[in-house]
Amino acid sequence: MKHRKFSILIVDDNDMMRAILRSMLRGDDYEVVGEARNGSQAIELAERLQPEIICMDVMMPEKNGLEALHEIKATRPQTAIVMITGNADPETVQDAIMSGAQGFIIKPFNAAKILDTLRGVALKLRQRH
Protein backbone atom coordinates (compact mmCIF):
# COMPACT_ATOMS: atom_id res chain seq x y z
CA MET A 1 0.00 0.00 0.00
CA LYS A 2 1.37 3.38 -0.99
CA HIS A 3 1.09 5.92 1.78
CA ARG A 4 1.07 9.64 1.24
CA LYS A 5 4.10 11.79 1.87
CA PHE A 6 4.36 14.09 4.88
CA SER A 7 4.94 17.75 4.07
CA ILE A 8 8.01 19.20 5.76
CA LEU A 9 9.31 22.72 6.31
CA ILE A 10 13.07 23.02 6.94
CA VAL A 11 14.20 25.96 9.08
CA ASP A 12 17.91 26.68 9.56
CA ASP A 13 20.01 29.81 9.07
CA ASN A 14 22.82 27.70 7.58
CA ASP A 15 22.39 27.08 3.82
CA MET A 16 24.53 23.94 3.94
CA MET A 17 22.50 22.48 6.81
CA ARG A 18 19.25 23.06 4.88
CA ALA A 19 20.76 21.38 1.80
CA ILE A 20 21.90 18.37 3.86
CA LEU A 21 18.46 17.98 5.45
CA ARG A 22 16.73 18.39 2.09
CA SER A 23 18.85 15.61 0.56
CA MET A 24 18.26 13.31 3.56
CA LEU A 25 14.51 13.77 3.25
CA ARG A 26 14.31 13.01 -0.44
CA GLY A 27 12.39 9.81 -0.80
CA ASP A 28 9.11 8.05 -0.34
CA ASP A 29 7.98 9.43 3.00
CA TYR A 30 8.58 13.18 2.93
CA GLU A 31 8.10 16.16 0.67
CA VAL A 32 10.01 19.34 1.50
CA VAL A 33 7.45 22.08 0.81
CA GLY A 34 9.54 25.04 1.93
CA GLU A 35 12.65 26.37 3.62
CA ALA A 36 13.22 29.28 5.97
CA ARG A 37 16.41 30.82 7.36
CA ASN A 38 15.04 32.32 10.59
CA GLY A 39 12.16 32.05 13.03
CA SER A 40 10.19 34.92 11.50
CA GLN A 41 10.17 33.25 8.08
CA ALA A 42 9.31 29.94 9.76
CA ILE A 43 6.18 31.41 11.33
CA GLU A 44 5.08 32.95 8.04
CA LEU A 45 5.72 29.78 6.02
CA ALA A 46 4.09 27.53 8.64
CA GLU A 47 0.92 29.60 8.27
CA ARG A 48 1.05 29.80 4.46
CA LEU A 49 2.25 26.26 3.59
CA GLN A 50 0.72 24.43 6.56
CA PRO A 51 3.36 21.67 6.71
CA GLU A 52 2.67 18.63 8.86
CA ILE A 53 6.24 18.55 10.19
CA ILE A 54 8.77 21.32 10.77
CA CYS A 55 12.49 20.62 11.30
CA MET A 56 13.80 23.76 12.99
CA ASP A 57 17.16 24.94 14.28
CA VAL A 58 17.18 26.52 17.75
CA MET A 59 19.84 29.20 17.28
CA MET A 60 18.90 31.59 14.45
CA PRO A 61 18.92 35.35 13.80
CA GLU A 62 15.85 37.62 14.09
CA LYS A 63 13.74 35.10 15.99
CA ASN A 64 15.20 31.91 17.41
CA GLY A 65 13.67 28.46 17.06
CA LEU A 66 12.18 28.38 20.55
CA GLU A 67 10.35 31.69 19.99
CA ALA A 68 9.10 30.44 16.62
CA LEU A 69 8.06 27.13 18.21
CA HIS A 70 5.89 28.98 20.76
CA GLU A 71 4.20 31.08 18.07
CA ILE A 72 3.63 28.24 15.60
CA LYS A 73 2.21 25.94 18.29
CA ALA A 74 -0.15 28.73 19.41
CA THR A 75 -1.77 28.91 15.97
CA ARG A 76 -1.06 25.42 14.59
CA PRO A 77 -0.99 22.98 17.53
CA GLN A 78 -1.36 20.01 15.15
CA THR A 79 1.98 20.75 13.44
CA ALA A 80 4.75 18.40 14.59
CA ILE A 81 7.97 20.31 15.29
CA VAL A 82 11.39 18.68 15.63
CA MET A 83 14.09 20.95 17.02
CA ILE A 84 17.68 20.67 15.79
CA THR A 85 20.56 22.20 17.71
CA GLY A 86 24.23 22.12 18.50
CA ASN A 87 23.38 23.45 21.95
CA ALA A 88 21.96 20.56 23.94
CA ASP A 89 21.85 22.18 27.37
CA PRO A 90 19.07 20.66 29.50
CA GLU A 91 17.23 23.99 29.82
CA THR A 92 16.91 24.37 26.03
CA VAL A 93 15.77 20.78 25.59
CA GLN A 94 13.24 21.07 28.42
CA ASP A 95 11.90 24.40 27.11
CA ALA A 96 11.44 22.90 23.63
CA ILE A 97 9.68 19.76 24.89
CA MET A 98 7.48 21.74 27.32
CA SER A 99 6.55 24.04 24.44
CA GLY A 100 5.34 21.15 22.34
CA ALA A 101 8.34 19.99 20.30
CA GLN A 102 7.88 16.35 19.29
CA GLY A 103 11.56 15.64 18.98
CA PHE A 104 15.04 16.97 19.57
CA ILE A 105 18.07 16.24 17.37
CA ILE A 106 21.56 17.25 18.41
CA LYS A 107 24.20 18.35 15.87
CA PRO A 108 26.27 16.86 14.49
CA PHE A 109 23.70 14.35 13.34
CA ASN A 110 23.58 11.62 10.72
CA ALA A 111 20.87 10.58 8.30
CA ALA A 112 19.84 7.61 10.45
CA LYS A 113 19.22 9.83 13.49
CA ILE A 114 17.13 12.30 11.48
CA LEU A 115 15.11 9.60 9.74
CA ASP A 116 14.53 7.62 12.96
CA THR A 117 13.25 10.71 14.75
CA LEU A 118 11.00 11.69 11.83
CA ARG A 119 9.73 8.12 11.50
CA GLY A 120 8.54 8.30 15.11
CA VAL A 121 6.89 11.68 14.52
CA ALA A 122 5.23 10.45 11.30
CA LEU A 123 3.91 7.38 13.11
CA LYS A 124 2.24 9.59 15.74
CA LEU A 125 0.76 11.80 13.03
CA ARG A 126 -0.64 8.73 11.19
CA GLN A 127 -2.24 7.49 14.42
CA ARG A 128 -3.99 10.85 14.82
CA HIS A 129 -5.69 10.56 11.41
Side-chain angles (χ1 to χ4, degrees):
M1 182 183 107
K2 180 81 174 117
H3 56 262
R4 64 177 187 74
K5 293 184 179 194
F6 284 97
S7 57
I8 291 195
L9 173 65
I10 297 173
V11 185
D12 198 305
D13 57 326
N14 182 311
D15 294 343
M16 181 65 75
M17 198 57 66
R18 286 197 317 274
I20 291 168
L21 281 167
R22 191 179 333 111
S23 68
M24 284 180 188
L25 298 173
R26 221 172 250 139
D28 296 337
D29 296 324
Y30 309 104
E31 178 187 3
V32 177
V33 294
E35 293 181 22
R37 58 181 57 225
N38 61 53
S40 299
Q41 287 179 349
I43 293 162
E44 180 206 324
L45 289 177
E47 201 52 49
R48 187 156 46 94
L49 302 173
Q50 301 188 356
E52 293 161 289
I53 302 171
I54 300 175
C55 289
M56 184 157 48
D57 189 16
V58 172
M59 304 305 289
M60 294 182 293
E62 284 185 45
K63 190 172 288 226
N64 72 38
L66 291 174
E67 292 168 324
L69 169 68
H70 289 281
E71 289 191 41
I72 293 167
K73 278 296 191 179
T75 58
R76 298 195 47 74
Q78 73 279 22
T79 303
I81 301 179
V82 175
M83 303 305 289
I84 302 173
T85 187
N87 173 16
D89 72 88
E91 198 177 287
T92 302
V93 175
Q94 185 177 9
D95 188 9
I97 300 300
M98 297 297 289
S99 299
Q102 271 79 4
F104 213 90
I105 297 169
I106 294 157
K107 295 177 189 173
F109 53 75
N110 60 28
K113 176 74 176 141
I114 293 281
L115 295 173
D116 282 351
T117 301
L118 288 176
R119 205 169 289 121
V121 169
L123 196 61
K124 286 180 190 154
L125 287 174
R126 276 202 183 93
Q127 289 169 349
R128 260 195 242 160
H129 293 294

